[in-house]
Amino acid sequence: DAGTLLGALASLAGAGRPDDLADDAPWPPRVLVLDATPDDRAALARVAARHEAGEHLVYAPSLDIDDAAAVVAGSRGVVLPMITDSTGLAALDAIAAGVPVMASSVGALPEVVGTAGILVEPRDRDRLAAALLAAWGDDAVRTGIVHAARERASARTRTWGDVATDVRAIYAEVGIRGS
């Protein structure tokens, strides 16, 4: 949901730099868009122009998996202002790197993110801006979220084998009921 993200970034820029933000933290936050095609960049530029927020986006070319993982691991957070999401894979990748996630509370994201980020209602520009401000500018909040992300990343994670076993069990149960 590029409109919500860019509206939130424009709102933060318009509110001015927070007084308690560390001197070395740039303001307003800038968002790096990974793997954006030329068509993606053109579409985002149109949305950004409507929100007067084009300067808040930076684009990276397609990166190999190790370089993309390093970029995510070095970021202050991953922003996923989604309208729908069925898998939460981008959130899983961020959490695996111990990086906080600011995301819409849709689909798999609430279960995937848990306390390793901040969830907001989809299309709520003001709450997304508040989540970005908290994760970007409040060191105590950010430290707590990073700690939760690292704990979640180090916890036993489900494998695709676990998922396959669960799916087989569901099919078996449905098959038994259907007999």
Side-chain angles (χ1 to χ4, degrees), residues 75-141:
S75 69
R76 283 192 69 81
V78 170
V79 186
L80 301 169
M82 311 298 278
I83 297 169
T84 64
D85 187 279
S86 59
T87 62
L89 290 177
L92 283 169
D93 287 344
I95 292 166
V99 175
V101 176
M102 283 65 61
S104 301
S105 57
V106 296
L109 290 171
E111 181 179 348
V112 169
V113 173
T115 59
I118 301 173
L119 297 169
V120 300
E121 289 299 314
R123 295 192 167 128
D124 191 332
R125 177 185 94 158
D126 295 333
R127 289 195 183 186
L128 182 58
L132 291 169
L133 178 60
W136 185 263
D138 187 323
D139 283 337
V141 170

Side-chain angles (χ1 to χ4, degrees), residues 17-27 76 133 136-139:
R17 184 181 182 86
D19 293 334
D20 56 347
L21 186 64
D23 291 337
D24 63 341
W27 187 259
R76 283 192 69 81
L133 178 60
W136 185 263
D138 187 323
D139 283 337

Side-chain angles (χ1 to χ4, degrees), residues 29-85:
R30 295 182 75 189
V31 173
L32 175 66
V33 181
L34 290 175
D35 295 331
T37 66
D39 289 340
D40 294 336
R41 290 192 303 271
L44 284 169
R46 287 190 295 275
V47 175
R50 285 195 302 268
H51 293 280
E52 298 180 8
E55 69 275 7
H56 305 304
L57 296 179
V58 180
Y59 301 97
S62 184
L63 302 172
D64 69 46
I65 194 161
D66 291 332
D67 289 340
V71 168
V72 170
S75 69
R76 283 192 69 81
V78 170
V79 186
L80 301 169
M82 311 298 278
I83 297 169
T84 64
D85 187 279

